């Protein structure tokens, strides 16, 4: 049925694949008949391979497991490879009258007494006919093939004759006799359908019936459709067997049978007939429908039964199966096993250290760990919770972050505890503390014991401190046990463990097996596969291992000895004594059986991959390998001229022969194949991957994962037999970036950058991954085994990959921020490109924000943060960063609901002083200390937790729990009166300097033999209360942090008199001094203004401001300085900031708005920000955010507009200046008569309205040297609470405690005219004051109260319309441009949307927590407009 097979491959499989991918499944067709030339089954294993593949699909598939196509041909009837001893001798006894047949059977079937029970084995064809091997001379090969065909017929005839005679005499059963008559087709249908005991089968049979076939067979036509004898006549026996098979399927499984009746003239021999085309179309449609139905049914069942967290059940099953296999074959080491179990039992009721098992590779640590996990329940009770991870055998168990996350999830489920919050499980540093706390929680429950087994910690990827083992508790609480194993070959890990846990009783060495234990292990392994050895063969093994050895060597010996038959010649009994020799011998054997090219390429692809390759991927990759295909089709033509694929049978045979040297690992959502032993990997690299070959493997892998030859793209191949190029579709899986809107192509994300980099295709790497790129995509009898396995797959749709932001965002969403950071780090090691380093630093800076955010909001924040950080470099690096920023802008412009749309860079850029944000605490930081050698940083928090970091790479060393309240640092007191209450004291490292903080000042003292003396005449003055200070090691810099979220860094300047008395050789004079100011988020009148700055001062030049840095976000209360690395913390924030004081100044950003009051106003375009100066608040500053500096303005005369009986125009007056110095530039301030309470800007009329605490409103013209207009307060002289202009800037509302004035702002020349109030009205709510106001057209006023009440007042009609009240003070009001809608906000974070025409509530939004991203965003100033959606 070659036509049906080819049609399904072209039309049905792609559609089913797309359907499965929509449901996150991988669709794989296992058709061992496809693409195979008329090859001889040399070792007679093909039928057994097919049955094993069907069994594998039945175990793994969540959809259809078997689909058969059955026509009018019964198929090839293979000889049985194995016949049991008794049965064979019974058959021979029936042939006593035919010595030729008897001799033929005994010549080809040899007795193997090593099998249990003994069997007769059909010998490989090449043992008697060596030229049957495909590599032999073709003339001789054809001759031996013909001989074998004849021998095979004679053997089959003799066996069938003997079997029928034996059945007649009752010596064998009918089923035993039928084994000699079965075709491969029936064997497979029986395995896939007939012998299955499950009620709900995922199998289907498609039957093709040709009308009138019997009539045409009698006429001698259509013989190509049926089985024939050697002379071309009809094989009646085969036809009878076929009819019996069809009847069996129809009688017992009618619901699984799909029948297609085809007119005789439309049979496959006449493919152009319309009836034949219709039949093939209907076949494909029914095939697709049946398969998709089975997939959906399985998915519905899985949805009901699987309530485990995503991926956890799969991971548990993976480790459970590995553990069961190791336990099944474990033997010996009973004394060591008992000692470890005894130690666990003794430690169950008190605090103890983890137990460590160690030994060289291959000593059996894994098997011992698995056996311990099996027996520990017998020791501690069946209710004991056992968690085992064989590290490095899956992607989840290879990284410390995913490992701890998975362990915590399993423990929470086992003990009925609530799962860890999603934001906690996102960051590695945040997982160590929850992991330790979870163990304490389990201990406090005191009901069940918990035993954690971490096998092979040396197999963890070293990133995030995995090999430094800071994540491992040094003490286990009662009822909690940890057992760790490690290899002594990995230098440093065992030493690290011994340094942290020096107790010798915690360590158990796993040594070699004795000779007796090794012999017992071999017996167990051989018995597990129903094999044994002859005495002579046992003697050979004993001579090879006279003193015993490590289990790995015995396992390798078993892999060789299991192939020995009792008739194997002694010269063929070869056992090597080292792992490397065993691996080389394996390669030699594989090359002999399968050819050097195929073996070298397949093993090379597996080793060259990043995480391994799936079966489906390997077959696709080999289908693209022209060298492999040329080798396969050098003596025969491919079965199809338009499709060229690698024959799956060849991979199945090779995989079987590689055996246990292949290992499955879970990675990227799939089961991937890798090599089981490191020694095997090294042998493959040395044997098959020299530099040139390695580059070829990476090139083709890059082409595959890039999707170069998918979506119907044809690739030409010149085959010697054809004499011309064959331009064929290789039918490899498409590789879009996204499979669907929510499912990413994780395999491509993981593998493509790795292979492009290692293949040296740097330009393509920049194009597809790091820069601009584009993907193009479009949406006989045959029996198949099908496997639809869970995974991350795709919908086949057109995807245009325009910029690298698509890649970055996709990988962050799919794998987390650390994955893309690792990719850029990998590229930066090989590519000298400053742009890549800047992008990598950008990703590190945004990591804390993404650790706590997911979903659509998280995607929006990725684009916002990247653009807001890299905007500074758009024009400096247009090729990569410029395009990336353009992609961010494009995405935000089409995003229906972006959080913010940055129009400039306003977050800390890469390359600047801020290097990272450290998370890990749940509440504010209260203690920050450095060790004396500056290697270790310790921080404590309000929840009673302490975390210890290694300063070298800011890596978590320890997480200390147990404090029940806040952690504080001891302070000292200076026995000398200071002007105010002392808030802190700090001493320099050499104890020569002391700094005391009081109020807004820091006083520095110099110590000598007479006591402490003033170091500088003037105190260090701040605008807010100072909380902290720290000296640099050389006493040249002092860093201070204030209530205004500021950190000041100053150089000490010693007086000459003091300098003459002491040796200050270690204090080098410096020219630059730093002052870092960090401001809190300000939210005023629905505008976001972010202020978070750090200022750099030079004290040697009378306090000249030389630089500005920003980033803390909350008042800085703690500081630590290590060289040029500064760490800042706050009582109000659960994070720390790490700064580099020697950053590249060319990455300096515009200075942020230095507002810390919260009273601001902005121009519509965001170019100007208006705010009162801190402390006195009697001066208004205009900040030019495009230049990052204050705007020069003029000072004005005041005129009271109510001194004249009629409206007054703003008259010109003589200006005079008020100057001061900021960053070396002269700027003006705008003086007010009292403290400023609120500000409002009339953009069109160029007026600034300033509400004062005295009740006065000052009106400043912004575009001319006009006099200031003064709107006097009412008689009550109460402060102005709020002001508002309507959208047309025609009315102004001024709100006092219980009074609102509404004034007209009329056009006038040269300036607008402001009259006396048109309307004045009072509120009538006792004890409540007006907190916010908005004015609409037609003199309608919306105002909110401190009580939460909200009203709409119609001034012309004196009517009040109450709206539903808030729960607390109304803090802001905004109206839409059409004034139909209004938005009100209250202090409890509630926002309400109102329909002003109906005066009713429409919608509300409430925020119950502050996300870390908002904390950082709010801590940093936007120099330009930020559009708020």
């Amino acid at each position: 049925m070659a036509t049906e097979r080819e049609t399904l491959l072209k039309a049905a499989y792609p559609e089913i694949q797309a359907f499965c991918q929509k449901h996150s499944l991988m669709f794989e067709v296992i058709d061992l008949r496809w693409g195979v030339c008329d090859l001889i089954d040399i070792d007679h294993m093909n039928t057994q391979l097919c049955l094993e593949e069907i069994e594998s699909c039945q175990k793994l598939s969540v959809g259809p497991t078997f689909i058969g196509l059955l026509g009018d041909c019964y198929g090839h009837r293979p000889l049985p490879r194995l016949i049991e001893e008794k049965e064979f001798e019974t058959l021979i006894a029936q042939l006593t009258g035919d010595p030729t047949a008897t001799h033929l059977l005994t010549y080809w079937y040899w007795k193997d007494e090593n099998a249990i029970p003994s069997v007769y084995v059909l010998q490989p064809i090449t043992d008697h006919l060596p030229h049957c091997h495909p590599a032999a001379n073709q003339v001789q090969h054809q001759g031996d093939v013909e001989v074998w065909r004849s021998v095979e017929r004679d053997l089959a005839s003799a066996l069938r004759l003997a079997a029928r005679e034996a059945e007649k005499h009752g010596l064998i059963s009918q089923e035993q006799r039928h084994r000699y008559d079965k075709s491969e087709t029936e064997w497979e249908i029986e395995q896939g359908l007939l012998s299955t005991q499950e009620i709900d089968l995922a199998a289907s049979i498609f039957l093709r019936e040709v009308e009138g076939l019997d009539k045409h067979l009698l006429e001698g036509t259509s013989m190509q459709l049926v089985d024939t004898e050697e002379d071309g006549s009809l094989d009646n026996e085969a036809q009878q067997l076929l009819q019996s098979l069809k009847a069996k399927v129809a009688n017992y499984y009618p619901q699984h049978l799909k029948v297609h009746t085809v007119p005789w003239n439309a049979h496959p021999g006449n493919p152009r007939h319309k009836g034949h085309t219709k039949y093939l179309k209907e076949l494909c449609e029914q095939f697709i429908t049946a398969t998709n139905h089975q997939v959906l049914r399985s998915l519905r069942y899985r949805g009901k039964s699987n309530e485990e967290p995503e991926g956890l059940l799969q991971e548990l099953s993976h480790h459970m199966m590995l553990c069961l296999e190791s336990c099944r074959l474990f033997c010996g080491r009973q004394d060591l096993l008992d000692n470890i179990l005894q130690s666990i039992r003794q430690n169950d009721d008190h605090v103890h250290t983890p137990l460590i098992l160690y030994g060289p590779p291959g000593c059996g640590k894994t098997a011992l760990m698995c056996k311990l996990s099996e027996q520990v329940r017998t020791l501690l009770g069946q209710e004991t919770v056992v968690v085992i991870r064989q590290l490095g055998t899956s992607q989840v168990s290879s990284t410390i972050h995913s490992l701890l996350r998975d362990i915590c999830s399993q423990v929470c489920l086992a003990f009925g505890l609530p799962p860890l919050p999603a934001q906690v499980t996102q960051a590695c540093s945040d997982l160590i503390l929850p992991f330790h706390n979870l163990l304490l929680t389990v201990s406090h429950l005191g009901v069940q014991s918990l035993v954690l087994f971490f096998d092979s910690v040396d197999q963890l990827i070293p990133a995030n401190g995995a090999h430094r083992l800071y994540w491992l508790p040094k003490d286990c609480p009662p009822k909690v046990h940890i057992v760790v194993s490690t290899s002594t070959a990995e230098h440093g890990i065992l030493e690290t463990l011994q340094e942290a846990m020096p107790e010798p009783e915690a360590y158990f060495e796993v040594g070699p097996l004795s000779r007796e234990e090794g012999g017992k292990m071999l017996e167990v392994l051989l018995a597990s596969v129903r094999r044994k050895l002859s005495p002579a063969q046992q003697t050979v093994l004993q001579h090879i291992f006279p003193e015993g050895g490590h289990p790995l060597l015995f396992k390798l010996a078993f892999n060789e000895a299991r192939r020995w038959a009792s008739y194997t010649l002694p010269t063929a009994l070869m056992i090597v004594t080292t792992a490397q020799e065993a691996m080389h011998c394996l390669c030699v054997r594989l090359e002999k059986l399968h050819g050097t090219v195929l073996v070298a390429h397949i093993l090379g692809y597996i080793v060259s991959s990043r995480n391994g390759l799936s079966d489906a991927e390997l077959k696709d990759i080999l289908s693209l390998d022209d060298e492999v295909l040329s080798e396969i089709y050098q003596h025969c033509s491919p079965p199809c001229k338009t499709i060229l694929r690698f024959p799956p049978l060849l991979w199945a045979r090779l995989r079987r022969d590689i055996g246990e040297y292949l290992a499955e690992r879970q990675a990227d959502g799939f089961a991937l194949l890798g090599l089981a032993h490191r020694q095997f990997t090294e042998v493959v690299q040395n044997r098959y991957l020299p530099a040139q070959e390695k580059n070829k493997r990476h090139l083709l892998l890059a082409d595959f994962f890039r999707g170069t030859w998918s979506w119907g793209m044809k690739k030409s191949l010149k085959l010697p037999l054809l004499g011309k190029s064959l331009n064929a579709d290789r039918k490899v899986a498409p590789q879009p970036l996204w499979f669907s809107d929510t499912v990413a192509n994780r395999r491509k994300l993981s593998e493509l950058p790795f292979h492009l980099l290692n293949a040296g295709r740097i330009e393509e790497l920049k194009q597809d991954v790091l820069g601009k790129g584009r993907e193009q995509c479009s949406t006989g009898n045959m029996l198949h085994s099908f496997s639809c396995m869970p995974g991350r797959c795709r919908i086949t749709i057109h995807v245009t990959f325009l910029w690298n932001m698509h890649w970055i965002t996709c990988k962050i969403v799919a794998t987390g921020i650390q994955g893309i950071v690792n990719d850029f780090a990998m590229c930066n090691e090989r590519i000298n490109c400053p742009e890549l380093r800047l992008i990598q630093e950008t990703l590190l800076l945004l990591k804390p924000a993404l650790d706590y955010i997911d979903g659509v909001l998280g995607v929006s924040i990725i684009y916002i943060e990247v653009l807001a950080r890299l905007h500074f470099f758009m024009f400096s690096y247009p090729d990569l960063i410029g395009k990336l920023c353009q992609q961010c802008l494009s995405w935000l412009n089409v995003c229906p609901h972006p959080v913010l749309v940055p129009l400039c860079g306003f977050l800390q850029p890469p390359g600047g002083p801020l290097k990272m944000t450290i998370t890990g605490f749940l509440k504010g930081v209260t203690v920050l200390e450095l060790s004396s050698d500056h290697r270790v940083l310790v921080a404590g928090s309000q929840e009673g937790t302490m975390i210890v970091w290694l300063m070298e790479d800011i890596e978590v060393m320890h997480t200390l729990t147990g404090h029940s309240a806040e952690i504080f640092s001891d302070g000292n007191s200076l026995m000398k009166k200071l002007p105010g209450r002392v808030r802190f004291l700090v001493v320099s490292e050499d104890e020569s300097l002391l700094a005391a903080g009081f109020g807004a000042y820091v006083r520095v003292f110099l110590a000598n033999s007479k006591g402490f003396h003033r170091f500088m005449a003037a105190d260090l003055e701040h605008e807010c209360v100072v909380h902290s200070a720290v000296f640099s090691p050389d006493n040249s810099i002092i860093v201070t942090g204030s209530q205004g979220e500021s950190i000041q860094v100053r150089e000490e300047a010693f007086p000459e008199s003091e300098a003459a008395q002491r040796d200050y050789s270690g204090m080098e004079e410096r020219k630059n001094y730093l002052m870092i100011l960090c401001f809190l988020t300000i939210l005023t009148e629905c505008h976001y203004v972010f202020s978070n700055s750090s200022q750099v001062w030079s004290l040697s030049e009378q306090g000249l401001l030389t630089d500005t840095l920003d980033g803390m976000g909350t008042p800085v209360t703690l500081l630590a300085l290590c060289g040029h690395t500064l760490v800042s913390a706050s009582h109000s924030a659960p994070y720390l900031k790490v700064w580099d004081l020697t950053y590249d100044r060319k990455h300096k950003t515009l200075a942020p708005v230095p507002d810390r009051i919260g009273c601001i106003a902005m121009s519509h375009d965001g170019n100007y920000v208006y705010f009162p100066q801190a402390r006195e608040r009697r001066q208004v500053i205009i900040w030019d955010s495009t230049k990052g500096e204050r705007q020069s303005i003029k000072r004005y005369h005041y005129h009271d507009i109510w001194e004249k009986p009629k409206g007054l125009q703003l008259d010109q007056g003589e200006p005079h200046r008020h100057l001061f110095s900021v960053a070396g530039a002269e700027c003006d301030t705008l003086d007010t008569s009292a403290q400023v309470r609120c500000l409002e800007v009339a953009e069109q009329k160029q007026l600034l309205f300033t509400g004062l605490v005295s009740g006065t409103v000052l009106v400043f013209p912004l575009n001319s040297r006009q006099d200031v207009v003064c709107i006097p307060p009412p008689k009550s002289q109460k402060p102005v609470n709020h002001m508002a202009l309507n959208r047309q800037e025609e009315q102004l509302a001024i709100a006092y405690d219980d009074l609102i004035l509404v004034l007209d702002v009329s056009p006038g020349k040269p300036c607008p005219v402001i009259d006396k109030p048109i309307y004045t009205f009072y509120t009538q709510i006792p004890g409540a004051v007006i907190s916010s106001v908005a004015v609409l057209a037609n003199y309608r006023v919306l105002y909110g109260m401190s009580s939460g009440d909200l009203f709409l007042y119609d001034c012309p009609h004196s009517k009040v319309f109450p709206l539903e009240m808030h729960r607390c003070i109304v803090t802001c009001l905004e109206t839409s441009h059409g004034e139909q809608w209004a938005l009100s906000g209250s202090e409890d974070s509630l926002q309400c949307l109102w329909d002003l025409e109906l005066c009713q509530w429409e919608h509300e939004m409430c925020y119950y927590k502050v996300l870390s991203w908002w904390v950082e965003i709010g801590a940093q100033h936007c120099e330009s407009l930020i559009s708020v959606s």
Side-chain angles (χ1 to χ4, degrees), residues 36-47 76 79 108 122-127 129-135 138 140-153 184 593-594 636 649-650 653 656:
V36 179
C37 300
D38 191 18
L39 296 178
I40 299 298
D41 186 6
I42 293 175
D43 56 1
H44 318 288
M45 284 294 296
N46 285 358
T47 300
H76 176 247
L79 297 171
W108 282 95
L122 179 60
Q123 297 302 293
I125 299 172
T126 51
D127 282 6
L129 300 170
H131 297 299
C132 278
H133 195 281
Q138 285 304 294
Q140 296 175 318
H141 174 75
Q142 291 299 326
D144 276 6
V145 167
E146 292 300 324
V147 172
W148 167 246
R149 297 297 187 199
S150 176
V151 169
E152 185 182 27
R153 286 192 295 270
E184 292 174 336
L593 293 173
H594 305 279
C636 63
L649 176 64
L650 301 185
R653 293 169 63 89
R656 177 204 65 192

Side-chain angles (χ1 to χ4, degrees), residues 77 115 120 152 166 183 185 188 276 292 314 377 451 475 577 641 650 698 716 809 925 992 1010 1099 1124 1213 1253 1293:
R77 291 186 279 171
Y120 280 82
E152 185 182 27
S183 68
T185 299
E188 294 167 12
H276 183 250
N292 291 353
Q314 185 182 26
R377 283 195 178 93
V451 188
D475 292 298
T577 57
K641 303 303 181 184
L650 301 185
H698 285 297
S716 63
T809 306
V925 180
S992 64
K1010 298 180 180 180
L1099 300 183
H1124 298 295
V1253 70

Side-chain angles (χ1 to χ4, degrees), residues 325-353:
E325 181 64 19
S326 295
C327 290
R328 185 174 66 88
L329 303 175
F330 182 85
C331 61
R333 303 193 188 280
Q334 193 59 48
D335 291 342
L336 180 59
L337 196 65
D338 291 340
N339 291 338
I340 298 172
L341 290 172
Q342 179 68 16
S343 180
I344 292 175
R345 182 174 60 185
Q346 292 175 350
N347 294 333
D348 194 44
D349 295 325
H350 59 270
V351 178
H352 56 278
T353 59

Side-chain angles (χ1 to χ4, degrees), residues 161-192:
L161 176 62
R164 282 192 287 269
E165 292 297 320
E167 183 188 13
K168 286 181 182 179
H169 295 90
L171 300 176
I172 62 174
S173 65
Q174 180 182 2
E175 177 58 32
Q176 286 177 297
R177 190 267 306 163
H178 188 50
R179 291 179 64 249
Y180 299 95
D181 290 323
K182 280 184 188 179
S183 68
E184 292 174 336
T185 299
E186 183 167 356
W187 276 110
E188 294 167 12
I189 290 178
E190 187 176 81
Q191 175 73 27

Side-chain angles (χ1 to χ4, degrees), residues 1179-1252:
Q1179 295 174 329
V1180 177
I1181 298 171
I1182 301 181
W1183 187 267
D1184 186 342
S1185 58
T1186 63
K1187 299 179 180 179
E1189 63 183 27
R1190 303 184 185 188
Q1191 173 70 11
S1192 294
I1193 62 172
K1194 303 301 181 182
R1195 189 177 166 189
Y1196 305 89
H1197 296 298
Y1198 297 159
H1199 286 282
D1200 191 330
I1201 68 168
W1202 296 349
E1203 292 177 354
K1204 297 182 180 181
K1206 297 183 179 179
L1208 176 70
Q1209 293 184 344
L1210 300 178
D1211 298 325
Q1212 292 183 352
E1214 290 295 324
H1216 51 272
R1217 302 167 63 86
H1218 181 66
L1219 305 176
F1220 67 101
S1221 175
V1222 177
E1226 286 191 349
C1227 301
D1228 297 315
T1229 61
L1230 190 158
D1231 290 335
T1232 60
S1233 58
Q1235 288 188 355
V1236 178
R1237 288 290 300 270
C1238 53
L1239 297 167
E1240 186 72 10
V1241 177
E1243 182 83 3
Q1244 301 171 15
K1245 293 182 170 57
Q1246 287 292 291
L1247 299 176
L1248 175 64
F1249 296 86
T1250 306
L1252 307 180

Side-chain angles (χ1 to χ4, degrees), residues 781-846:
N781 300 298
M782 177 180 63
L783 299 108
H784 295 329
S785 301
F786 282 79
S787 181
C788 294
M789 289 167 282
R792 300 292 189 188
C793 302
R794 62 183 160 277
I795 299 175
T796 50
I797 58 175
H798 286 276
V799 179
T800 301
F801 189 20
L802 297 176
W803 311 99
N804 59 338
M805 268 308 298
H806 293 296
W807 179 280
I808 293 173
T809 306
C810 182
K811 183 138 191 178
I812 291 174
V813 171
T815 66
I817 185 67
Q818 193 59 49
I820 190 68
V821 170
N822 292 341
D823 283 348
F824 273 92
M826 174 182 67
C827 294
N828 278 319
E829 290 178 359
R830 305 272 293 274
I831 305 173
N832 184 17
C833 179
E835 292 177 271
L836 296 185
R837 287 191 291 273
L838 289 173
I839 296 174
Q840 180 187 353
E841 290 185 25
T842 299
L843 297 172
L844 287 172
L845 289 174
L846 65 88

Side-chain angles (χ1 to χ4, degrees), residues 1411-1428:
L1411 300 175
S1412 65
W1413 181 79
W1414 285 107
V1415 173
E1416 183 175 355
I1417 291 289
Q1420 301 171 7
H1421 165 62
C1422 173
E1423 296 88 344
S1424 185
L1425 173 66
I1426 303 173
S1427 301
V1428 181

Side-chain angles (χ1 to χ4, degrees), residues 142-341:
Q142 291 299 326
D144 276 6
V145 167
E146 292 300 324
V147 172
W148 167 246
R149 297 297 187 199
S150 176
V151 169
E152 185 182 27
R153 286 192 295 270
D154 292 342
L155 285 171
S157 178
L159 287 172
R160 291 166 192 164
L161 176 62
R164 282 192 287 269
E165 292 297 320
E167 183 188 13
K168 286 181 182 179
H169 295 90
L171 300 176
I172 62 174
S173 65
Q174 180 182 2
E175 177 58 32
Q176 286 177 297
R177 190 267 306 163
H178 188 50
R179 291 179 64 249
Y180 299 95
D181 290 323
K182 280 184 188 179
S183 68
E184 292 174 336
T185 299
E186 183 167 356
W187 276 110
E188 294 167 12
I189 290 178
E190 187 176 81
Q191 175 73 27
L193 179 66
L194 301 179
S195 63
T196 305
Q197 301 299 319
E198 296 181 11
I199 299 175
D200 192 16
L201 295 175
S204 299
I205 303 295
F206 290 83
L207 176 61
R208 185 197 66 197
E209 295 281 7
V210 179
E211 291 180 345
L213 179 62
D214 293 340
K215 174 184 175 181
H216 292 283
L217 291 176
L218 292 175
E219 297 173 355
T221 59
S222 300
M223 299 300 291
Q224 73 273 19
L225 300 179
V226 297
D227 301 280
T228 58
E229 299 283 4
E230 185 181 1
D231 59 1
S233 62
L234 180 67
D235 188 340
N236 291 304
E237 183 181 14
Q239 288 297 296
Q240 291 176 1
L241 291 169
L242 175 63
Q243 295 304 318
S244 175
L245 173 62
K246 291 180 179 179
K248 192 183 302 183
V249 174
N251 293 334
Y252 293 101
Y253 298 94
Q255 69 275 23
H256 298 278
L257 184 63
K258 321 292 182 185
V259 181
H260 289 263
T261 302
V262 184
W264 177 82
N265 56 1
H267 64 78
N270 188 12
R272 296 184 179 180
H273 192 279
K274 292 182 179 179
H276 183 250
T277 304
K278 180 181 177 182
Y279 153 65
L280 293 177
K281 181 179 179 181
E282 291 176 351
L283 172 66
C284 288
E285 291 174 351
Q286 196 174 44
F287 189 97
I288 292 169
T289 301
T291 305
N292 291 353
H293 172 72
Q294 291 170 342
V295 170
L296 287 177
R297 184 177 58 182
S298 297
L299 287 174
R300 283 194 293 267
Y301 175 77
R302 289 177 65 213
K304 294 178 181 178
S305 62
N306 184 14
E307 298 179 355
E308 300 293 338
E310 181 182 1
L312 178 59
L313 186 60
Q314 185 182 26
E315 183 72 5
L316 295 181
S317 300
H318 167 74
H319 292 283
M320 182 182 69
M321 295 303 297
L322 292 178
C323 188
L324 290 175
E325 181 64 19
S326 295
C327 290
R328 185 174 66 88
L329 303 175
F330 182 85
C331 61
R333 303 193 188 280
Q334 193 59 48
D335 291 342
L336 180 59
L337 196 65
D338 291 340
N339 291 338
I340 298 172
L341 290 172

